[in-house]
Amino acid sequence: MADTITANYVQTGDDWTITVSGLGKQLTARAPGIIAARDRTDQLVEKLAPEGRTTVVHLLNGSAFEFTSAYMTARLTLPEIAPLVVPPPAVPKQAEKASAPEKGSGKPQMPPSKQLSKAVEPRKPAEHTPKSDEAKLNPGGPVAAAAVATKTVTPPAARA
């Protein structure tokens, strides 16, 4: 059968006082916060019952429900931290000179991230293939090319 140990929690300011009693013994400790107090209780229970199965009942103001509610609220609440301040990106000296508008141009320079690099590769000439030439001459496709090829025109001098 499991031995029962009772842990009573009392809040004193920001600190918690824990009294663990069972098996004819009683131990007391302090901890800074309910989460630390719960961890400290586990250490005290180990001292009271080093071996064997034990059942620990955690009480706050005599109520296991109050303890569980306070403990879970502390566990699930995020700590208050200052808002994150993101500094502006650092601009290198060369970018500052390049981003300054030219005098008399009237329009501002684009930011460096939007500018094209100075080294742009030259465009390669398009390869000429019979199909690419046919597509340029006959935008209607191969059917239109066949229709144009079947129509013959006789010059007026040859008709007479």
Side-chain angles (χ1 to χ4, degrees), residues 15-89:
D15 293 338
W16 290 79
T17 303
I18 314 118
T19 304
V20 178
S21 55
L23 305 172
K25 300 176 189 172
Q26 183 171 327
L27 298 173
T28 304
R30 293 179 65 87
I34 193 166
I35 296 171
R38 173 65 176 81
D39 292 341
R40 184 71 177 114
T41 299
D42 288 341
Q43 295 170 357
L44 296 175
V45 168
E46 287 286 321
K47 287 182 180 178
L48 283 180
E51 76 242 6
R53 292 180 34 192
T54 58
T55 300
V56 181
V57 179
H58 302 271
L59 303 172
L60 174 61
N61 299 327
S63 169
F65 178 76
E66 277 192 52
F67 171 80
T68 303
S69 178
Y71 179 73
M72 293 307 294
T73 299
R75 275 291 212 197
L76 298 174
T77 303
L78 294 175
E80 291 184 23
I81 57 173
L84 180 63
V85 177
V86 179

Side-chain angles (χ1 to χ4, degrees), residues 84-101:
L84 180 63
V85 177
V86 179
V91 180
K93 295 285 183 184
Q94 291 175 338
E96 286 177 9
K97 291 177 186 175
S99 66

